[in-house]
Amino acid sequence: MMKLTKNMLLILLTLICSQVFSDILPIDNFVWTDQAKLDLYLNQRINPTDPPATPVRAVAEFEPAQAVLIRYPLGIPTSFVALLSQESPVICIVADSWDQNQAQSAFDAAGVNNDNLSYIVADTDSYWTRDFTSWFVVNGNNQMSVLDFEYNRPRPYDNLFPQAFAQEYDYPYYAMNIEQTGGNFMTDGYGIAAASHIAYTENGNNENLVNTTMEQYMGITNYMVIQDPNNTYIDHIDCWGKFLDVDKVLIREVPSSHAQYDEIEDVANYFATTNCSWGYPYQVIRVYTPNNQPYTNSLILNDRVFVPQTGSSWDDEALEVYENAMPGYRIFGVTNNTYYPWESTDALHCRTHEIPDREMLSIQHYPRFGNVDEELVSIEATILALSGQDIYADSTLVYYRVSGNQDWLSTNLQAGDNNLWTAEIGPFETNQVIQYYLHSADQAGKSEDYPFIGAADPFEFVYVAESNQLHPPLIEFDPVLSVQTNQLPLELTCTVTDPEDNISSVTLWYYVEDDSTSVLFNNIDEDTYSLDWNINDNEVNDSISYRIEAQDTDNLTSTTPLYSLNIIVSNDNHEVGQAYGFTSIYPNPFNDSLSIKFRSKSHNQSVKIYNLKGQLVKELSSSAKAGSNANVKWDGQDLNGKRVSSGVYYMVLESENLRDVRKVLLLK
């Protein structure tokens, strides 16, 4: 056995310390032990590119994956690599042929399936592939693409790896000029993403720059940046939360005696009162982590979910939480070895990265939910084969049944324009609970259900005949998005109607940072409600958002979207600046007519409306003078006067030094 000399021990200790502290210290305080790496870090950072062609869409972790990426030397047990390789291709990063030989010997001993094992040769600094590997987007040409960013750690080889990956596997490559990290990002695949506050602080607190960049490069139109509730050095969202589906979010839970109990509960409440992309509040699932167990730091890989195990008495309960939240998925517990144990800030998710299927059969659908009164219920989905191959029409179906029945009925979805497929199901009897899911297949051999797990966790709605249906209140409100301090208190007025004339309360809810306050409206004239909103002086410089909630005596409730209020401090000696761009787009979602208000620097300004393929659908012109308020309406018709299909559309307002883009959802 080779004897370690004193100098060798010192070198080994230096390398270990540099690796450990590089994950703790900011760049300014980092002590470089390798001048060559310092030069590389300073001189070979990523070069930003133009953004992808629009529309661009960020891909979620729970979408179809073709492989999983790891790095050798490992931070995961070889037995876990063997488990992954049973059904999924594994790509292992190695520095050279010597590392590859060492890795292969270890994998052979562990029983790794070599048919599902491949290598990519590239220099890296760490095994945290989640953090330094690129994100993935589908660009406007329907190509799966690599989306790079400046990695927020002083690890130059890790930072350059996405370029090597894109080149090795011939992906379109795009790079953003902002600092990010993979452990602090989750997306639903529909334009919502979430991260902790370092998404802003590590970019000079320039929220507008970050939000605009995320929208341009990733199609993220709702970036939920949240103060990290854990209060740890790393501030990664995967240490406390995880999207399990478009409408499901897993949040850690701690006992009330825990130092961060209030902060974690505030985050759980935030998601529980926030609408997901499908138009209703998130289902918040809790997993108990009394000793900061990293149960949210898991990996979703197609229909398998891998959850870190720590030897805690709560391990089994964590697995049960996943099983209940994700019916139809197979849940695996994974214990690491004592040399690289799972940490509360660093576990299984951090050390792996799924690679989306670049030829995926993508199904996007806004599900029917709640009470539906259509005699024949319309179902629509955007189905896109990234392989470019044709979709089998006879295999593109909606399966449905009355809840409790064993047998599924099916009907074909019919192809329309812009990859939109439609069908009608029914008729049903009133008060029946209907379950359904979608299926499609293409000539590239892809076969997918939606939701991803299909019949095990279908969509649901209740059919209620129009004559028997109780209607929630209807709120008509022209939102106020900015106000000067000399105009306070702010008078808010809305119209609230109810077919049964049973309005019990109309409430303003407003939120300042983590605090929420409710104020009741006064009924001043039949269906008209008003209040004077007294905004406190200490709230003027805070970020304020608000919504209106109406409830009737049948306990049916309606709410407006959540609006942001910009408070402009008045100054009698200076002209208060005008805000330009969209000031109101309402209602959103809409199914009849959309009212669009804006203020432009140009005369005779127009609003252009595009579909998800970037095609111009409609142009709405206004004769308003420059600097004045303009108001146009869209009736959901295209340039030819034809009613467009349900789905997402983009409102674009452009004039000198201004480009404002908003997303709206048309529902029929």
Side-chain angles (χ1 to χ4, degrees):
M1 180 181 294
M2 181 179 67
K3 183 177 180 180
L4 292 175
T5 66
K6 182 177 180 181
N7 285 339
M8 292 172 68
L9 285 171
L10 287 173
I11 292 171
L12 179 61
L13 181 60
T14 300
L15 291 172
I16 293 173
C17 290
S18 68
Q19 182 73 11
V20 171
F21 289 116
S22 72
D23 205 42
I24 300 177
L25 297 177
I27 293 172
D28 293 342
N29 296 326
F30 183 76
V31 179
W32 290 92
T33 58
D34 187 332
Q35 183 62 41
K37 287 187 70 173
L38 173 59
D39 293 340
L40 179 65
Y41 176 76
L42 294 175
N43 299 321
Q44 295 191 35
R45 307 186 82 184
I46 68 168
N47 295 313
T49 68
D50 290 335
T54 57
V56 59
R57 184 181 73 84
V59 180
E61 180 180 338
F62 44 76
E63 295 190 55
Q66 68 180 38
V68 61
L69 184 70
I70 63 173
R71 179 264 203 185
Y72 186 89
L74 300 171
I76 55 177
T78 53
S79 59
F80 177 44
V81 180
L83 179 61
L84 291 170
S85 71
Q86 288 178 7
E87 299 180 26
S88 301
V90 176
I91 302 173
C92 183
I93 310 168
V94 291
D96 48 36
S97 58
W98 190 89
D99 265 1
Q100 182 171 333
N101 291 334
Q102 295 297 309
Q104 188 63 58
S105 296
F107 294 154
D108 287 342
V112 172
N113 179 5
N114 286 320
D115 290 338
N116 275 339
L117 177 65
S118 62
Y119 295 92
I120 176 173
V121 178
D123 287 323
T124 54
D125 302 295
S126 72
Y127 51 59
W128 290 294
T129 55
R130 174 70 49 184
D131 290 343
F132 66 76
T133 302
S134 68
W135 298 334
F136 291 86
V137 298
V138 178
N139 67 20
N141 298 316
N142 299 327
Q143 297 171 302
M144 189 68 69
S145 306
V146 163
L147 194 284
D148 202 0
F149 47 81
E150 197 67 54
Y151 179 33
N152 75 337
R153 287 288 186 269
R155 302 187 187 122
Y157 295 121
D158 286 353
N159 194 35
L160 296 176
F161 174 78
Q163 298 177 56
F165 181 88
Q167 183 174 1
E168 175 73 14
Y169 297 104
D170 194 26
Y171 279 87
Y173 173 85
Y174 306 98
M176 305 185 290
N177 191 25
I178 57 175
E179 195 166 288
Q180 295 280 22
T181 181
N184 191 39
F185 176 77
M186 61 184 186
T187 183
D188 68 350
Y190 281 76
I192 288 180
S196 85
H197 64 280
I198 61 171
Y200 288 154
T201 59
E202 292 183 336
N203 290 285
N205 282 314
N206 192 335
E207 297 183 16
N208 183 63
L209 168 67
V210 174
N211 292 344
T212 300
T213 302
M214 294 294 285
E215 182 172 0
Q216 290 178 341
Y217 284 79
M218 304 191 73
I220 300 301
T221 55
N222 183 3
Y223 197 24
M224 300 187 294
V225 178
I226 301 163
Q227 183 67 32
D228 183 78
N230 280 354
N231 194 31
T232 58
Y233 77 93
I234 200 165
D235 293 323
H236 285 189
I237 200 168
D238 62 4
C239 297
W240 54 263
K242 185 181 188 71
F243 281 156
L244 304 181
D245 205 337
V246 178
D247 62 345
K248 296 178 183 178
V249 60
L250 179 71
I251 304 293
R252 67 176 297 213
E253 185 176 13
V254 296
S256 58
S257 58
H258 193 284
Q260 299 306 118
Y261 172 81
D262 289 340
E263 290 81 356
I264 293 169
E265 290 306 299
D266 285 344
V267 168
N269 183 66
Y270 168 80
F271 280 102
T273 57
T274 298
N275 280 355
C276 69
S277 288
W278 287 341
Y280 51 83
Y282 284 97
Q283 301 177 50
V284 177
I285 296 108
R286 308 302 299 274
V287 59
Y288 195 52
T289 60
N291 298 311
N292 303 323
Q293 291 93 337
Y295 297 136
T296 60
N297 206 286
S298 60
L299 171 68
I300 302 173
L301 193 64
N302 295 319
D303 68 342
R304 296 188 293 170
V305 184
F306 303 96
V307 183
Q309 303 282 273
T310 64
S312 161
S313 60
W314 301 102
D315 282 356
D316 290 342
E317 182 176 307
L319 297 180
E320 187 176 350
V321 167
Y322 276 91
E323 289 168 355
N324 292 334
M326 306 179 74
Y329 286 81
R330 292 173 290 158
I331 313 299
F332 298 85
V334 181
T335 302
N336 205 0
N337 56 49
T338 56
Y339 296 104
Y340 302 101
W342 306 134
E343 306 286 351
S344 63
T345 56
D346 171 27
L348 189 155
H349 188 255
C350 301
R351 308 179 194 184
T352 60
H353 198 302
E354 73 289 342
I355 306 299
D357 185 354
R358 69 188 303 176
E359 293 189 346
M360 75 165 61
L361 180 58
S362 171
I363 304 175
Q364 288 213 302
H365 167 64
Y366 290 88
R368 309 305 303 266
F369 62 91
N371 291 343
V372 176
D373 62 3
E374 301 167 17
E375 184 176 358
L376 293 176
V377 179
S378 62
I379 304 294
E380 298 182 346
T382 298
I383 305 178
L384 181 64
L386 297 190
S387 64
Q389 298 295 312
D390 289 338
I391 294 172
Y392 289 115
D394 59 355
S395 296
T396 301
L397 307 161
V398 52
Y399 288 90
Y400 64 97
R401 69 182 180 186
V402 176
S403 180
N405 289 357
Q406 295 299 314
D407 297 330
W408 292 89
L409 303 174
S410 67
T411 189
N412 284 94
L413 290 150
Q414 303 299 318
D417 296 334
N418 302 324
N419 303 305
L420 186 70
W421 293 71
T422 61
E424 290 182 333
I425 58 175
F428 305 109
E429 295 180 9
T430 190
N431 295 325
Q432 286 184 325
V433 177
I434 310 303
Q435 298 177 324
Y436 74 96
Y437 69 96
L438 310 180
H439 177 81
S440 189
D442 67 17
Q443 293 184 7
K446 307 296 180 180
S447 178
E448 298 293 346
D449 291 333
Y450 198 80
F452 181 78
I453 209 62
D457 190 22
F459 300 117
E460 280 190 359
F461 64 86
V462 179
Y463 172 71
V464 180
E466 177 67 26
S467 59
N468 296 329
Q469 185 173 3
L470 293 175
H471 296 79
L474 175 64
I475 306 172
E476 296 182 50
F477 174 62
D478 193 2
V480 179
L481 303 180
S482 65
V483 64
Q484 299 178 24
T485 52
N486 63 4
Q487 297 173 325
L488 299 175
L490 174 61
E491 182 181 2
L492 295 182
T493 303
C494 62
T495 301
V496 182
T497 55
D498 184 72
E500 292 79 33
D501 291 327
N502 290 326
I503 300 295
S504 60
S505 65
V506 179
T507 308
L508 169 72
W509 285 92
Y510 70 94
Y511 309 88
V512 181
E513 295 184 344
D514 297 328
D515 297 327
S516 63
T517 305
S518 63
V519 184
L520 286 175
F521 278 80
N522 297 310
N523 184 198
I524 61 174
D525 180 22
E526 294 185 355
D527 299 329
T528 304
Y529 292 79
S530 178
L531 67 74
D532 289 334
W533 184 1
N534 291 299
I535 299 172
N536 299 327
D537 290 342
N538 62 348
E539 296 175 344
V540 166
N541 293 321
D542 289 322
S543 175
I544 298 181
S545 56
Y546 72 97
R547 61 183 173 88
I548 297 173
E549 176 185 279
Q551 187 176 56
D552 64 18
T553 55
D554 296 310
N555 291 323
L556 297 177
T557 301
S558 294
T559 62
T560 66
L562 195 63
Y563 304 109
S564 295
L565 181 66
N566 179 32
I567 301 178
I568 304 169
V569 179
S570 303
N571 186 335
D572 294 337
N573 298 321
H574 297 84
E575 181 181 354
V576 177
Q578 292 284 350
Y580 293 96
F582 291 112
T583 58
S584 173
I585 298 178
Y586 184 80
N588 187 19
F590 76 104
N591 59 17
D592 184 18
S593 179
L594 185 68
S595 177
I596 306 165
K597 296 184 179 181
F598 60 91
R599 184 180 293 115
S600 173
K601 298 181 180 180
S602 303
H603 181 57
N604 292 333
Q605 182 64 47
S606 65
V607 174
K608 295 180 180 179
I609 303 172
Y610 296 88
N611 60 24
L612 284 173
K613 296 187 70 175
Q615 299 167 326
L616 180 65
V617 172
K618 188 76 171 181
E619 185 169 359
L620 306 172
S621 299
S622 168
S623 59
K625 295 180 179 179
S628 63
N629 294 318
N631 187 0
V632 296
K633 289 185 180 294
W634 184 37
D635 58 6
Q637 295 185 4
D638 62 15
L639 293 167
N640 298 317
K642 181 182 177 182
R643 179 77 171 175
V644 299
S645 58
S646 297
V648 174
Y649 293 87
Y650 291 94
M651 311 283 111
V652 179
L653 178 67
E654 292 180 300
S655 61
E656 54 178 293
N657 300 320
L658 170 68
R659 187 174 192 270
D660 197 359
V661 181
R662 303 293 177 91
K663 182 171 72 172
V664 298
L665 174 62
L666 171 60
L667 296 176
K668 291 184 179 178

